[in-house]
Amino acid sequence: MKTGIVLGVAGLAGMTVVLGQLNADVRDDAPSFKVTQAGGETAEAGGTVGPDVIVGALTGPRYWTQDSTEVAYSIGTTSCNLGDMDLEWLDGGGDNRHPVIGQNMFRINGDGRLIQIGQSWLKHGFCALQGTLCGSCDPACGGCCDYLGPGCSDPYSASRNGGQSGLGPKWEVNPHTGEFPIPWDQGEGTSGEFRRRLRVKVVDLDTSLDPTAQFLMEGQYVTQDDAFYGNQNNNASYIRVGVNQTGTYSATFIGGTEQMKPAVVGWSELVDGVAVTEAQVENDGLYMVGHRAYATGEGDYMYEYAVYNMNSDRGAGSFEVPVPAGVDVTDIGFHDVDYHSGEAWDSTDWTSERAANSVIWSNGTDYETQPEANAIRWGTVYTMWFRSPAEPADVDATIHLFKPSGSDPASITASVVGPLSSCTPTSGDTNDDGSVDVEDLLNVLADWGCIGAPGDCLGDTNCDGSADVVDLLDVLKRLDINELFQHLEHGANEGVLRLDGLDGVFVLLQLVGEILVRTGELALGLVLLVLGVFIVLPGTRNDTASG
């Protein structure tokens, strides 16, 4: 039998949830099916708020043990049903219609960067008490129930949430639907005091080299009827934590629970300049991307991204931030959180790449090749960063989804802060006089081979940091031929090249043709060289010029 104290509002000041203040959207396309309520009544799905579970309070935490490399904790959670229907809590006879509860830990470094430093297996719920943490409770029964009534709360102590035999793996749970198999996989078993609990590396808890570091803990519920009604995007809450630095790394909560706010939102509340963008996957779950850029004081900016998968079953296999070609990027970094205790998912770190027009972090594989690869799975935050001298601007980052899903999109975008190139492509008009003419062509030729930051080279028409064949072709394809002949006839561009009549055309064609041949554009280069030769054939140039 589950035991515990029914907590009242008066004893938990500052943690009261006001009924009716809901931030979940009801599914307009929810299919109609009957949900069994306490007492045998049924209710049609769709058209009502339905059951809506949140983490009303985080309690504890409990310190279990530590060794030279890691520490084991667990966090207590008190759930609240903010909905207008009973919430299923069925666990008898292999029934999987009950919540599972995840526990996470995070660190905010002294420089403000958020990283996830630990996660647990999932506590399987059983026996819903009918408490009043959330306000007025309409109990599903008189005590321990298979349902949590509207407005009611149910407490799990930190010790109970750390009971190893009641913890199952994350990999078997679909967080978008709340479904999972019974019995669940046992992984490495329950021997010792570390397995399945919230495990954190000692190095991530030690603040001797970073005394201003802050810590957060987070709890999250996932369950089927809550998900069915589209109410699963408010199921995580966080709290600040103090970690003892003398003797054991025991932990103590600071302040109250921030209800319906995952830790990535806490990052935006505790660190200046952080914004959070939501990105919902069609027919799947929600991502939140925390992001910021700040001046380092060394002439550049640090760009940081914390990608949180709240409840996407498909996961993310890579994350891409657009960075213009030619913009310097240094100090690319990545941090994830390890799986443990026999979880099926891999923990190999992602690699990073400075691509032509972006920075990409990736697990380097695909779902068909390695389905257990390290993707951004649900209930985790992966943090990525780099430095650049380019100033910040709004850009669209891309989350490339890992698990395919029929015709559903393979990626989603999220508006974040990213580097902006000060260079604007000129479309061939190097001198910004409103036309593409011989002056622009000569500017590219005079600047040939220049390499620098975008905008440093006058002949860099496409802002890739160099004046090369791409820029030359950019001018040639827009060049006004009539204007070119008129310009050459009058011997324009004194001081750069003096080109008169068809003598000028010959020089220009020969010069451009030779450059193209040398840079590998053989076909076009040879054509221009041949044309130049024919223009100066005996009797041709003079006759034409005199006419």
Side-chain angles (χ1 to χ4, degrees):
M1 169 65 91
K2 176 181 171 183
T3 59
I5 300 173
V6 178
L7 301 176
V9 174
L12 288 163
M15 298 191 212
T16 304
V17 177
V18 180
L19 293 177
Q21 294 182 344
L22 306 175
N23 68 347
D25 296 326
V26 179
R27 280 177 49 181
D28 293 331
D29 62 341
S32 179
F33 84 119
K34 293 184 184 295
V35 176
T36 303
Q37 300 284 283
E41 300 90 351
T42 60
E44 294 285 342
T48 65
V49 173
D52 184 9
V53 67
I54 70 162
V55 180
L58 296 167
T59 60
R62 175 162 179 177
Y63 163 90
W64 290 90
T65 190
Q66 71 182 66
D67 60 18
S68 62
T69 61
E70 64 179 343
V71 181
Y73 301 103
S74 60
I75 309 167
T77 55
T78 299
S79 59
C80 297
N81 179 8
L82 296 190
D84 59 5
M85 292 171 54
D86 292 338
L87 181 73
E88 293 174 332
W89 220 276
L90 302 161
D91 66 298
D95 203 316
N96 68 352
R97 289 174 294 168
H98 59 261
V100 290
I101 308 162
Q103 306 159 54
N104 295 316
M105 190 167 184
F106 302 83
R107 172 176 170 141
I108 299 177
N109 295 338
D111 61 9
R113 178 177 298 156
L114 174 74
I115 58 173
Q116 184 171 354
I117 58 175
Q119 62 178 326
S120 72
W121 279 35
L122 306 173
K123 169 63 180 175
H124 280 254
F126 70 100
C127 175
L129 300 178
Q130 312 293 305
T132 56
L133 172 68
C134 305
S136 177
C137 168
D138 181 10
C141 72
C144 182
C145 304
D146 286 336
Y147 302 87
L148 183 63
C152 301
S153 60
D154 176 67
Y156 284 90
S157 68
S159 295
R160 187 168 295 283
N161 279 354
Q164 292 157 299
S165 63
L167 300 177
K170 295 179 76 170
W171 71 269
E172 290 186 312
V173 176
N174 182 324
H176 177 60
T177 65
E179 296 174 311
F180 50 84
I182 297 288
W184 57 80
D185 183 75
Q186 295 299 304
E188 296 174 352
T190 59
S191 62
E193 292 192 85
F194 286 101
R195 284 182 176 153
R196 303 189 182 184
R197 291 172 175 149
L198 174 56
R199 296 168 69 165
V200 185
K201 292 184 175 69
V202 167
V203 68
D204 290 324
L205 297 168
D206 185 355
T207 62
S208 59
L209 297 179
D210 192 1
T212 60
Q214 303 179 69
F215 297 94
L216 310 176
M217 285 182 172
E218 175 189 82
Q220 179 182 3
Y221 279 66
V222 171
T223 194
Q224 292 185 50
D225 50 349
D226 173 85
F228 176 81
Y229 280 89
N231 294 329
Q232 69 269 57
N233 288 349
N234 62 351
N235 292 12
S237 300
Y238 83 90
I239 192 169
R240 295 178 62 204
V241 184
V243 178
N244 181 49
Q245 297 294 307
T246 304
T248 64
Y249 288 99
S250 58
T252 306
F253 287 153
I254 301 172
T257 302
E258 297 292 339
Q259 298 168 340
M260 299 182 285
K261 296 176 182 178
V264 71
V265 173
W267 186 36
S268 71
E269 295 178 335
L270 297 170
V271 176
D272 290 340
V274 176
V276 177
T277 303
E278 294 187 354
Q280 180 71 47
V281 181
E282 183 179 350
N283 300 317
D284 193 43
L286 176 69
Y287 288 83
M288 293 182 177
V289 183
H291 53 97
R292 69 166 180 158
Y294 65 91
T296 65
E298 300 176 2
D300 60 5
Y301 297 87
M302 180 66 74
Y303 292 87
E304 295 179 346
Y305 309 92
V307 182
Y308 169 54
N309 176 351
M310 176 177 275
N311 47 37
S312 166
D313 181 60
R314 297 178 63 186
S318 64
F319 179 68
E320 182 173 7
V321 177
V323 179
V327 170
D328 288 339
V329 171
T330 58
D331 295 348
I332 302 175
F334 170 82
H335 186 281
D336 62 2
V337 60
D338 287 344
Y339 294 96
H340 60 80
S341 305
E343 281 275 12
W345 290 329
D346 185 44
S347 296
T348 302
D349 284 350
W350 285 15
T351 59
S352 60
E353 175 190 1
R354 175 55 166 113
N357 293 289
S358 65
V359 174
I360 304 173
W361 294 264
S362 171
N363 64 13
T365 188
D366 56 63
Y367 184 82
E368 289 78 9
T369 302
Q370 191 178 354
E372 75 284 359
N374 185 13
I376 307 178
R377 310 285 186 172
W378 73 274
T380 63
V381 170
Y382 284 20
T383 304
M384 289 148 275
W385 61 89
F386 60 80
R387 291 175 69 154
S388 175
E391 294 186 355
D394 291 335
V395 301
D396 286 334
T398 302
I399 300 170
H400 298 278
L401 302 171
F402 185 59
K403 185 178 181 179
S405 179
S407 60
D408 289 336
S411 64
I412 54 173
T413 60
S415 178
V416 300
V417 64
L420 174 69
S421 172
S422 59
C423 180
T424 302
T426 64
S427 298
D429 184 11
T430 62
N431 55 5
D432 200 26
D433 67 355
S435 64
V436 180
D437 51 32
V438 69
E439 233 179 284
D440 301 301
L441 183 58
L442 294 173
N443 282 339
V444 173
L445 297 176
D447 224 10
W448 193 261
C450 173
I451 297 176
D456 286 354
C457 306
L458 183 61
D460 180 15
T461 67
N462 63 347
C463 293
D464 69 352
S466 64
D468 53 25
V469 67
V470 177
D471 306 298
L472 182 59
L473 295 174
D474 191 29
V475 172
L476 287 175
K477 70 183 180 183
R478 294 178 171 88
L479 195 60
D480 186 331
I481 298 301
N482 291 327
E483 192 276 340
L484 170 61
F485 274 87
Q486 182 181 3
H487 208 91
L488 292 174
E489 188 67 32
H490 290 86
N493 254 358
E494 295 185 19
V496 180
L497 283 176
R498 183 173 182 83
L499 305 174
D500 293 302
L502 290 179
D503 282 331
V505 174
F506 161 71
V507 173
L508 195 59
L509 290 176
Q510 291 280 1
L511 182 58
V512 173
E514 184 176 352
I515 290 173
L516 289 173
V517 169
R518 289 184 177 182
T519 55
E521 300 290 338
L522 296 178
L524 180 58
L526 290 173
V527 168
L528 295 180
L529 285 171
V530 170
L531 286 174
V533 170
F534 274 106
I535 286 174
V536 296
L537 285 175
T540 303
R541 184 181 62 188
N542 292 334
D543 292 344
T544 307
S546 62

